[in-house]
Amino acid sequence: MDIAKSFSYVFEDEAWISKMLIGGLIFLIPVIGQITVAGYSYKVAQNVARGVERPLPDWGEFGEALVRGFLGGLISLVYALPAALISGILVAVSVGTAAAADRARSGAGVAFAGAILCLVPVIIVLSLICAVAALAAVARYLATDDIGQAFKFGEVFASLRSSIGAWVLLLVLTILAGFVGGLGLIACGLGVLFTSFYAQCVIGHGLGQTIRQLGLGQPAAPPAGYGPPPGYSA
């Protein structure tokens, strides 16, 4: 993956200023705006995966962007559920342990704090696994325009196992882009609207690169030795 390209390609578009301004203003709309911006970034990913020279789409297909962003968010939500459920169970168990210690007058505060500290690494690892799986699932959806592909869990996790480096690199890019997106808040309040939109475009480009790199959505190559049937003479 060309990480530098993901951060610089936006400025290669001759209309990048107007597209960024529109994107930042749309991001201002509660909930709907964020979903639409996510859908826009997914279109960027599709353009990059398909080799479009200027991958920033024109603003105009708001309905399609909204639907695409909603479906991508739904996929991410489904893949986040295991980590959320397991984390909730672990926290509930730790609270129960602390309560039992309190009844036994055996240092409830220490027991509770120790239980929570032990759970933090587990929760972080679970969250990272689910985040990477969600990226792989969304990538399959974007590569095929078929949301059903995102829920072929066996194939999604097989892709993770076979190309874990590419997916981890994409996750790193996502984290870096999120950091850049937050700089607008530090620099100038409302600037976060535009840096957040820019961050989504960066993520979209990285996602598109990964789709293209791994050949997602492309027909599998025929096995070695496969070819047309031999000809027969009359």
Side-chain angles (χ1 to χ4, degrees), residues 57-108:
D58 292 324
W59 280 106
E61 300 175 348
F62 294 95
E64 291 185 12
L66 179 60
V67 171
R68 195 182 300 113
F70 174 79
L71 293 178
L74 177 62
I75 293 167
S76 298
L77 176 63
V78 169
Y79 277 84
L81 285 177
L85 291 173
I86 294 173
S87 299
I89 292 171
L90 292 176
V91 169
V93 169
S94 68
V95 170
T97 301
D102 184 43
R103 287 193 296 270
R105 301 182 182 278
S106 57

Side-chain angles (χ1 to χ4, degrees), residues 16-42:
W16 72 269
I17 295 178
S18 62
K19 292 177 181 179
M20 291 292 291
L21 287 174
I22 293 172
L25 293 174
I26 290 175
F27 195 84
L28 184 62
I29 304 171
V31 183
I32 297 296
Q34 286 85 61
I35 295 174
T36 302
V37 164
Y40 183 93
S41 75
Y42 292 150

Side-chain angles (χ1 to χ4, degrees), residues 210-229:
T210 304
I211 293 172
R212 185 171 57 189
Q213 174 187 340
L214 301 182
L216 299 179
Q218 300 298 320
Y226 177 84

Side-chain angles (χ1 to χ4, degrees), residues 16-224:
W16 72 269
I17 295 178
S18 62
K19 292 177 181 179
M20 291 292 291
L21 287 174
I22 293 172
L25 293 174
I26 290 175
F27 195 84
L28 184 62
I29 304 171
V31 183
I32 297 296
Q34 286 85 61
I35 295 174
T36 302
V37 164
Y40 183 93
S41 75
Y42 292 150
K43 182 61 177 178
V44 169
Q46 289 180 324
N47 285 347
V48 172
R50 295 165 185 172
V52 177
E53 184 178 2
R54 296 286 183 269
L56 275 183
D58 292 324
W59 280 106
E61 300 175 348
F62 294 95
E64 291 185 12
L66 179 60
V67 171
R68 195 182 300 113
F70 174 79
L71 293 178
L74 177 62
I75 293 167
S76 298
L77 176 63
V78 169
Y79 277 84
L81 285 177
L85 291 173
I86 294 173
S87 299
I89 292 171
L90 292 176
V91 169
V93 169
S94 68
V95 170
T97 301
D102 184 43
R103 287 193 296 270
R105 301 182 182 278
S106 57
V110 175
F112 179 75
I116 291 297
L117 287 175
C118 290
L119 292 176
V120 168
V122 176
I123 293 173
I124 291 175
V125 170
L126 283 173
S127 299
L128 289 175
I129 291 173
C130 288
V132 175
L135 288 172
V138 170
R140 288 175 61 86
Y141 156 58
L142 296 177
T144 60
D145 281 318
D146 178 6
I147 192 172
Q149 294 295 322
F151 299 116
K152 293 185 176 181
F153 300 107
E155 295 181 17
V156 169
F157 284 96
S159 174
L160 289 181
R161 287 193 299 271
S162 62
S163 309
I164 187 62
W167 296 114
V168 170
L169 187 57
L170 178 59
L171 180 61
V172 170
L173 175 65
T174 300
I175 294 171
L176 290 175
F179 174 76
V180 171
L183 293 179
L185 184 61
I186 300 172
C188 178
L190 285 177
V192 73
L193 301 176
F194 303 100
T195 54
S196 295
F197 174 66
Y198 168 72
Q200 287 295 314
C201 292
V202 171
I203 294 169
H205 193 279
L207 184 56
Q209 287 192 65
T210 304
I211 293 172
R212 185 171 57 189
Q213 174 187 340
L214 301 182
L216 299 179
Q218 300 298 320

